[in-house]
Amino acid sequence: MSYSNYDFEDFNNFDEFEPFEQDAPPIEDEENDDNYEDSEDETSPQSRRTSPTWKYFNEQTIQHPGYPVSSIHKIKIGNVKNTGKNQSTLDFRRTDPWPEKEKNERDIAVVEWVIGDAQPFRSVENLRFKIMINKFDSRYQIPDEKTVKTLVVDYFKEKRKNIQEDLNAIPGKLSLTADMWTSTCNNDAFLGLTIHYIDNNWNLKNFLLDIISFTTRHTGNNIANAIKSVLTEFNLLEKTLALTTDNESAMVVCGRIIAEELTRELNDQSFRHYRCSAHILNLAAQQGIKIIDDEVVKIRELMKKIKHSTLRCDRLRELCSIENLTYYKPQLDVETRWNSTYYMIVKFQKMLRPIEMLAATDQDIKKFVPDAQGWIKINDTLTLLEPLEKATVLLSASSYPTISDVRFLFLGIQQHLNDYIGKEGFSQSEVASSILQKIDQYWEVVDSSTLASTVLDPRTKLTLFSTGEESTNAINAVKRRFSEYHTPMSQPAVINHDNGEVASTRDYFHQLKRRRLNNSTLNITRPSSGIYEEIDRYLALPCDDNVAPLLWWQAHFREFPALGAMARDYLSIQATSVACEQAFSVASNTITRTRNRLQPDTSRALLCSKSWLKKGIGEKRNYG
């Protein structure tokens, strides 16, 4: 037996071994093979003898007492398996450490597991985890907790260097969302910054660009400086088209400061600050809900009493079963999110019959069940809030363009509210008026910020603007930026377009749109000449309500090269800052009560790396 091909040093514990059987001597005559065993038994005092090989093994080592270890190659032998033949076989595994390259590959796999699954660093020191990894790979030495933390930070720094390549590959401009968040576990404050752009394949991409520890006052100037510092680091100042934030005063000031400085330093007048549309709808709905506060308070208290009582929950579940209704777990609303109040009332409404049956035998519940007049108010309120809920869901996405939907949805909501303000017998006209008043308060901002993106959406174009001044202003908004994209040498080529899937919610708002237009004739623009001829050809094509905007532009890009490049930039703008809120939701699952001692830099490394890992950002690749 030769061990010249092994360079092992150590092995893990295995079952006891059995000694080798002596190899059978060579047989010259195959015909005498059957007689060999008989002769062996008759002439030999024993058929199993110790091989001379064992003199090269030591059973008295300190590391593995009682187990044979090669004196030359430090190999520990595990099980000896009898194959049923003359020769027994040895089962041994390598435990010598992997070379540096192979070990680094395995370290990265552990780091990505810790990051991607939000595992605490101490997980690598769990005994069962070590045993499991050892079963998979006996040569891999798992790094300890401190080493893993260091590896995570190094992983973040390496990815951050590579991100520049991804950013350089963006074909046009990009948009940002920003928001502030403070952890309730350790009171650390962070500024989140997400990036959104449309790639060469006309896919809307996004990822967390940075999450910055914020130790200074949350003023507009400080926030603007922090954002500009990140944009400068990644050479993105000239590529940034928009910043979407909530309506908090510091964020509004931040947007104004960045716009002014970009205009002054780079003569860039295309940058614009956008208000979060979902936040506007939230403010409007909250204002309306306050008017029916008494009914909402009753439902909230009733749901609270059911939710906090196991007996009542079980009884309500039984009653739902009797009525063949779906049981919905009682839900309480959150003061800062109007749609949580909406969902709470909707659940209550769906289980009304079982709740009334429960209240018949439970006086503590009965006093909170709304009377007939109260239910009329609640049902009418739900009718008013339904389009706001649908619009919030549609606008909160980040996988498809949303900025071009803002005008479409807001006009539909305004039409809906106006219909009910003057409706005879409707109990919540005052609520409708209050919600509309708040939306109108922000309409001037929404109107001016959505002109170009609405025209560049092949589903709407000029159909959302009245004939005359509105249409002229919309076309001029496109023309003001068009010269930046127009190249005289570009030649159009006609290409058919593909239809894509659209959200069913849009059908709901198309009905509101038809009511608003009242079957009026669509706007028709007069043809023009010169560089704007491309705009006229685009507007002359009919709108297609059932097409995905990015698919349409991908198919028509060669036909409208300047407008296509412009659409690729403007359709990346986010209607809401929900992307940042989603990043903070991940942060709340990372900085927990059991991990409240994470340093801000470590939290930043974990959160950014998680987003980059999920989105495939920061990978080394060839863009040539």
Side-chain angles (χ1 to χ4, degrees), residues 217-240:
R217 291 180 59 205
H218 300 180
T219 64
N221 189 61
N222 289 338
I223 296 173
N225 288 337
I227 293 176
K228 280 191 62 183
S229 176
V230 175
L231 297 181
T232 301
E233 177 187 354
F234 289 112
N235 299 316
L236 295 178
L237 281 175
E238 295 184 12
K239 291 177 70 75
T240 302

PDB file of all heavy atoms in Angstrom, residues 217-240:
ATOM      1  N   ARG A 217     -27.768  67.016  13.174  1.00  0.00           N
ATOM      2  CA  ARG A 217     -29.181  67.391  13.143  1.00  0.00           C
ATOM      3  C   ARG A 217     -29.777  67.086  11.766  1.00  0.00           C
ATOM      4  O   ARG A 217     -29.112  67.210  10.746  1.00  0.00           O
ATOM      5  CB  ARG A 217     -29.344  68.880  13.442  1.00  0.00           C
ATOM      6  CG  ARG A 217     -29.028  69.277  14.870  1.00  0.00           C
ATOM      7  CD  ARG A 217     -29.234  70.761  15.053  1.00  0.00           C
ATOM      8  NE  ARG A 217     -30.608  71.140  14.737  1.00  0.00           N
ATOM      9  CZ  ARG A 217     -30.971  72.361  14.341  1.00  0.00           C
ATOM     10  NH1 ARG A 217     -30.062  73.315  14.183  1.00  0.00           N
ATOM     11  NH2 ARG A 217     -32.236  72.618  14.079  1.00  0.00           N
ATOM     12  N   HIS A 218     -31.038  66.698  11.770  1.00  0.00           N
ATOM     13  CA  HIS A 218     -31.705  66.307  10.517  1.00  0.00           C
ATOM     14  C   HIS A 218     -32.235  67.543   9.791  1.00  0.00           C
ATOM     15  O   HIS A 218     -33.429  67.671   9.530  1.00  0.00           O
ATOM     16  CB  HIS A 218     -32.834  65.329  10.805  1.00  0.00           C
ATOM     17  CG  HIS A 218     -32.393  64.071  11.474  1.00  0.00           C
ATOM     18  ND1 HIS A 218     -33.261  63.054  11.811  1.00  0.00           N
ATOM     19  CD2 HIS A 218     -31.159  63.646  11.855  1.00  0.00           C
ATOM     20  CE1 HIS A 218     -32.587  62.076  12.391  1.00  0.00           C
ATOM     21  NE2 HIS A 218     -31.309  62.421  12.423  1.00  0.00           N
ATOM     22  N   THR A 219     -31.341  68.431   9.432  1.00  0.00           N
ATOM     23  CA  THR A 219     -31.739  69.633   8.703  1.00  0.00           C
ATOM     24  C   THR A 219     -31.634  69.386   7.208  1.00  0.00           C
ATOM     25  O   THR A 219     -30.909  68.483   6.750  1.00  0.00           O
ATOM     26  CB  THR A 219     -30.855  70.829   9.086  1.00  0.00           C
ATOM     27  OG1 THR A 219     -29.501  70.553   8.673  1.00  0.00           O
ATOM     28  CG2 THR A 219     -30.877  71.057  10.603  1.00  0.00           C
ATOM     29  N   GLY A 220     -32.323  70.212   6.440  1.00  0.00           N
ATOM     30  CA  GLY A 220     -32.287  70.082   4.994  1.00  0.00           C
ATOM     31  C   GLY A 220     -30.884  70.247   4.445  1.00  0.00           C
ATOM     32  O   GLY A 220     -30.487  69.528   3.516  1.00  0.00           O
ATOM     33  N   ASN A 221     -30.114  71.147   5.018  1.00  0.00           N
ATOM     34  CA  ASN A 221     -28.757  71.399   4.539  1.00  0.00           C
ATOM     35  C   ASN A 221     -27.853  70.195   4.806  1.00  0.00           C
ATOM     36  O   ASN A 221     -27.064  69.792   3.942  1.00  0.00           O
ATOM     37  CB  ASN A 221     -28.196  72.643   5.217  1.00  0.00           C
ATOM     38  CG  ASN A 221     -26.880  73.090   4.598  1.00  0.00           C
ATOM     39  OD1 ASN A 221     -26.812  73.410   3.420  1.00  0.00           O
ATOM     40  ND2 ASN A 221     -25.825  73.098   5.409  1.00  0.00           N
ATOM     41  N   ASN A 222     -27.953  69.614   6.016  1.00  0.00           N
ATOM     42  CA  ASN A 222     -27.126  68.454   6.354  1.00  0.00           C
ATOM     43  C   ASN A 222     -27.482  67.249   5.490  1.00  0.00           C
ATOM     44  O   ASN A 222     -26.602  66.493   5.051  1.00  0.00           O
ATOM     45  CB  ASN A 222     -27.284  68.103   7.831  1.00  0.00           C
ATOM     46  CG  ASN A 222     -26.627  69.125   8.746  1.00  0.00           C
ATOM     47  OD1 ASN A 222     -25.734  69.857   8.320  1.00  0.00           O
ATOM     48  ND2 ASN A 222     -27.065  69.175   9.986  1.00  0.00           N
ATOM     49  N   ILE A 223     -28.763  67.040   5.250  1.00  0.00           N
ATOM     50  CA  ILE A 223     -29.194  65.923   4.407  1.00  0.00           C
ATOM     51  C   ILE A 223     -28.709  66.115   2.977  1.00  0.00           C
ATOM     52  O   ILE A 223     -28.224  65.175   2.340  1.00  0.00           O
ATOM     53  CB  ILE A 223     -30.726  65.783   4.444  1.00  0.00           C
ATOM     54  CG1 ILE A 223     -31.202  65.417   5.855  1.00  0.00           C
ATOM     55  CG2 ILE A 223     -31.199  64.717   3.458  1.00  0.00           C
ATOM     56  CD1 ILE A 223     -32.710  65.420   6.029  1.00  0.00           C
ATOM     57  N   ALA A 224     -28.824  67.355   2.467  1.00  0.00           N
ATOM     58  CA  ALA A 224     -28.365  67.648   1.106  1.00  0.00           C
ATOM     59  C   ALA A 224     -26.863  67.410   0.969  1.00  0.00           C
ATOM     60  O   ALA A 224     -26.400  66.847  -0.038  1.00  0.00           O
ATOM     61  CB  ALA A 224     -28.717  69.088   0.738  1.00  0.00           C
ATOM     62  N   ASN A 225     -26.086  67.820   1.962  1.00  0.00           N
ATOM     63  CA  ASN A 225     -24.632  67.615   1.915  1.00  0.00           C
ATOM     64  C   ASN A 225     -24.288  66.125   1.912  1.00  0.00           C
ATOM     65  O   ASN A 225     -23.360  65.696   1.210  1.00  0.00           O
ATOM     66  CB  ASN A 225     -23.964  68.307   3.104  1.00  0.00           C
ATOM     67  CG  ASN A 225     -23.971  69.827   2.979  1.00  0.00           C
ATOM     68  OD1 ASN A 225     -24.065  70.356   1.868  1.00  0.00           O
ATOM     69  ND2 ASN A 225     -23.885  70.519   4.100  1.00  0.00           N
ATOM     70  N   ALA A 226     -25.012  65.344   2.709  1.00  0.00           N
ATOM     71  CA  ALA A 226     -24.752  63.899   2.762  1.00  0.00           C
ATOM     72  C   ALA A 226     -25.059  63.243   1.417  1.00  0.00           C
ATOM     73  O   ALA A 226     -24.297  62.393   0.940  1.00  0.00           O
ATOM     74  CB  ALA A 226     -25.582  63.264   3.872  1.00  0.00           C
ATOM     75  N   ILE A 227     -26.162  63.634   0.795  1.00  0.00           N
ATOM     76  CA  ILE A 227     -26.531  63.057  -0.509  1.00  0.00           C
ATOM     77  C   ILE A 227     -25.515  63.471  -1.575  1.00  0.00           C
ATOM     78  O   ILE A 227     -25.068  62.647  -2.386  1.00  0.00           O
ATOM     79  CB  ILE A 227     -27.949  63.490  -0.896  1.00  0.00           C
ATOM     80  CG1 ILE A 227     -28.983  62.875   0.049  1.00  0.00           C
ATOM     81  CG2 ILE A 227     -28.260  63.108  -2.348  1.00  0.00           C
ATOM     82  CD1 ILE A 227     -30.404  63.327  -0.195  1.00  0.00           C
ATOM     83  N   LYS A 228     -25.136  64.727  -1.574  1.00  0.00           N
ATOM     84  CA  LYS A 228     -24.164  65.206  -2.569  1.00  0.00           C
ATOM     85  C   LYS A 228     -22.819  64.503  -2.405  1.00  0.00           C
ATOM     86  O   LYS A 228     -22.130  64.232  -3.394  1.00  0.00           O
ATOM     87  CB  LYS A 228     -23.980  66.720  -2.443  1.00  0.00           C
ATOM     88  CG  LYS A 228     -25.069  67.544  -3.096  1.00  0.00           C
ATOM     89  CD  LYS A 228     -24.670  69.003  -3.166  1.00  0.00           C
ATOM     90  CE  LYS A 228     -23.420  69.187  -4.007  1.00  0.00           C
ATOM     91  NZ  LYS A 228     -22.942  70.580  -4.042  1.00  0.00           N
ATOM     92  N   SER A 229     -22.443  64.195  -1.169  1.00  0.00           N
ATOM     93  CA  SER A 229     -21.177  63.504  -0.921  1.00  0.00           C
ATOM     94  C   SER A 229     -21.184  62.118  -1.570  1.00  0.00           C
ATOM     95  O   SER A 229     -20.190  61.710  -2.198  1.00  0.00           O
ATOM     96  CB  SER A 229     -20.947  63.373   0.594  1.00  0.00           C
ATOM     97  OG  SER A 229     -19.779  62.631   0.862  1.00  0.00           O
ATOM     98  N   VAL A 230     -22.296  61.399  -1.452  1.00  0.00           N
ATOM     99  CA  VAL A 230     -22.403  60.073  -2.075  1.00  0.00           C
ATOM    100  C   VAL A 230     -22.382  60.196  -3.591  1.00  0.00           C
ATOM    101  O   VAL A 230     -21.691  59.435  -4.285  1.00  0.00           O
ATOM    102  CB  VAL A 230     -23.685  59.357  -1.611  1.00  0.00           C
ATOM    103  CG1 VAL A 230     -23.863  58.032  -2.347  1.00  0.00           C
ATOM    104  CG2 VAL A 230     -23.658  59.116  -0.108  1.00  0.00           C
ATOM    105  N   LEU A 231     -23.136  61.157  -4.130  1.00  0.00           N
ATOM    106  CA  LEU A 231     -23.191  61.337  -5.584  1.00  0.00           C
ATOM    107  C   LEU A 231     -21.826  61.726  -6.139  1.00  0.00           C
ATOM    108  O   LEU A 231     -21.444  61.292  -7.239  1.00  0.00           O
ATOM    109  CB  LEU A 231     -24.227  62.404  -5.939  1.00  0.00           C
ATOM    110  CG  LEU A 231     -25.680  62.084  -5.568  1.00  0.00           C
ATOM    111  CD1 LEU A 231     -26.601  63.229  -5.992  1.00  0.00           C
ATOM    112  CD2 LEU A 231     -26.129  60.788  -6.206  1.00  0.00           C
ATOM    113  N   THR A 232     -21.086  62.524  -5.400  1.00  0.00           N
ATOM    114  CA  THR A 232     -19.748  62.919  -5.830  1.00  0.00           C
ATOM    115  C   THR A 232     -18.810  61.724  -5.835  1.00  0.00           C
ATOM    116  O   THR A 232     -18.010  61.535  -6.761  1.00  0.00           O
ATOM    117  CB  THR A 232     -19.196  64.020  -4.914  1.00  0.00           C
ATOM    118  OG1 THR A 232     -20.064  65.157  -4.952  1.00  0.00           O
ATOM    119  CG2 THR A 232     -17.804  64.442  -5.357  1.00  0.00           C
ATOM    120  N   GLU A 233     -18.900  60.899  -4.795  1.00  0.00           N
ATOM    121  CA  GLU A 233     -18.046  59.713  -4.700  1.00  0.00           C
ATOM    122  C   GLU A 233     -18.230  58.797  -5.898  1.00  0.00           C
ATOM    123  O   GLU A 233     -17.252  58.243  -6.423  1.00  0.00           O
ATOM    124  CB  GLU A 233     -18.362  58.950  -3.413  1.00  0.00           C
ATOM    125  CG  GLU A 233     -17.584  57.649  -3.258  1.00  0.00           C
ATOM    126  CD  GLU A 233     -18.036  56.832  -2.060  1.00  0.00           C
ATOM    127  OE1 GLU A 233     -18.881  57.324  -1.281  1.00  0.00           O
ATOM    128  OE2 GLU A 233     -17.555  55.683  -1.917  1.00  0.00           O
ATOM    129  N   PHE A 234     -19.464  58.639  -6.350  1.00  0.00           N
ATOM    130  CA  PHE A 234     -19.752  57.731  -7.458  1.00  0.00           C
ATOM    131  C   PHE A 234     -19.854  58.450  -8.804  1.00  0.00           C
ATOM    132  O   PHE A 234     -20.304  57.855  -9.786  1.00  0.00           O
ATOM    133  CB  PHE A 234     -21.055  56.978  -7.190  1.00  0.00           C
ATOM    134  CG  PHE A 234     -20.961  55.953  -6.095  1.00  0.00           C
ATOM    135  CD1 PHE A 234     -21.632  56.130  -4.900  1.00  0.00           C
ATOM    136  CD2 PHE A 234     -20.186  54.818  -6.263  1.00  0.00           C
ATOM    137  CE1 PHE A 234     -21.550  55.184  -3.891  1.00  0.00           C
ATOM    138  CE2 PHE A 234     -20.097  53.863  -5.261  1.00  0.00           C
ATOM    139  CZ  PHE A 234     -20.770  54.046  -4.072  1.00  0.00           C
ATOM    140  N   ASN A 235     -19.481  59.728  -8.864  1.00  0.00           N
ATOM    141  CA  ASN A 235     -19.521  60.506 -10.109  1.00  0.00           C
ATOM    142  C   ASN A 235     -20.928  60.534 -10.721  1.00  0.00           C
ATOM    143  O   ASN A 235     -21.113  60.318 -11.923  1.00  0.00           O
ATOM    144  CB  ASN A 235     -18.528  59.930 -11.129  1.00  0.00           C
ATOM    145  CG  ASN A 235     -17.099  59.960 -10.638  1.00  0.00           C
ATOM    146  OD1 ASN A 235     -16.650  60.959 -10.067  1.00  0.00           O
ATOM    147  ND2 ASN A 235     -16.379  58.868 -10.835  1.00  0.00           N
ATOM    148  N   LEU A 236     -21.924  60.780  -9.880  1.00  0.00           N
ATOM    149  CA  LEU A 236     -23.315  60.731 -10.334  1.00  0.00           C
ATOM    150  C   LEU A 236     -23.999  62.098 -10.359  1.00  0.00           C
ATOM    151  O   LEU A 236     -25.181  62.176 -10.703  1.00  0.00           O
ATOM    152  CB  LEU A 236     -24.123  59.797  -9.420  1.00  0.00           C
ATOM    153  CG  LEU A 236     -23.736  58.318  -9.436  1.00  0.00           C
ATOM    154  CD1 LEU A 236     -24.586  57.548  -8.441  1.00  0.00           C
ATOM    155  CD2 LEU A 236     -23.900  57.737 -10.833  1.00  0.00           C
ATOM    156  N   LEU A 237     -23.307  63.143 -10.025  1.00  0.00           N
ATOM    157  CA  LEU A 237     -23.954  64.455  -9.962  1.00  0.00           C
ATOM    158  C   LEU A 237     -24.585  64.828 -11.306  1.00  0.00           C
ATOM    159  O   LEU A 237     -25.712  65.308 -11.371  1.00  0.00           O
ATOM    160  CB  LEU A 237     -22.950  65.527  -9.532  1.00  0.00           C
ATOM    161  CG  LEU A 237     -22.637  65.597  -8.029  1.00  0.00           C
ATOM    162  CD1 LEU A 237     -21.534  66.613  -7.763  1.00  0.00           C
ATOM    163  CD2 LEU A 237     -23.893  65.964  -7.245  1.00  0.00           C
ATOM    164  N   GLU A 238     -23.853  64.617 -12.397  1.00  0.00           N
ATOM    165  CA  GLU A 238     -24.360  65.013 -13.705  1.00  0.00           C
ATOM    166  C   GLU A 238     -25.391  64.029 -14.255  1.00  0.00           C
ATOM    167  O   GLU A 238     -26.120  64.355 -15.194  1.00  0.00           O
ATOM    168  CB  GLU A 238     -23.197  65.142 -14.688  1.00  0.00           C
ATOM    169  CG  GLU A 238     -22.218  66.252 -14.340  1.00  0.00           C
ATOM    170  CD  GLU A 238     -21.133  66.415 -15.386  1.00  0.00           C
ATOM    171  OE1 GLU A 238     -21.277  65.820 -16.475  1.00  0.00           O
ATOM    172  OE2 GLU A 238     -20.150  67.123 -15.120  1.00  0.00           O
ATOM    173  N   LYS A 239     -25.463  62.824 -13.685  1.00  0.00           N
ATOM    174  CA  LYS A 239     -26.400  61.813 -14.194  1.00  0.00           C
ATOM    175  C   LYS A 239     -27.701  61.792 -13.407  1.00  0.00           C
ATOM    176  O   LYS A 239     -28.642  61.090 -13.791  1.00  0.00           O
ATOM    177  CB  LYS A 239     -25.758  60.416 -14.120  1.00  0.00           C
ATOM    178  CG  LYS A 239     -24.612  60.215 -15.086  1.00  0.00           C
ATOM    179  CD  LYS A 239     -23.982  58.841 -14.913  1.00  0.00           C
ATOM    180  CE  LYS A 239     -24.898  57.740 -15.398  1.00  0.00           C
ATOM    181  NZ  LYS A 239     -24.965  57.660 -16.861  1.00  0.00           N
ATOM    182  N   THR A 240     -27.793  62.554 -12.317  1.00  0.00           N
ATOM    183  CA  THR A 240     -28.973  62.501 -11.453  1.00  0.00           C
ATOM    184  C   THR A 240     -30.064  63.437 -11.975  1.00  0.00           C
ATOM    185  O   THR A 240     -29.844  64.643 -12.118  1.00  0.00           O
ATOM    186  CB  THR A 240     -28.616  62.878 -10.005  1.00  0.00           C
ATOM    187  OG1 THR A 240     -27.597  61.989  -9.533  1.00  0.00           O
ATOM    188  CG2 THR A 240     -29.833  62.764  -9.098  1.00  0.00           C
TER     189      THR A 240
END
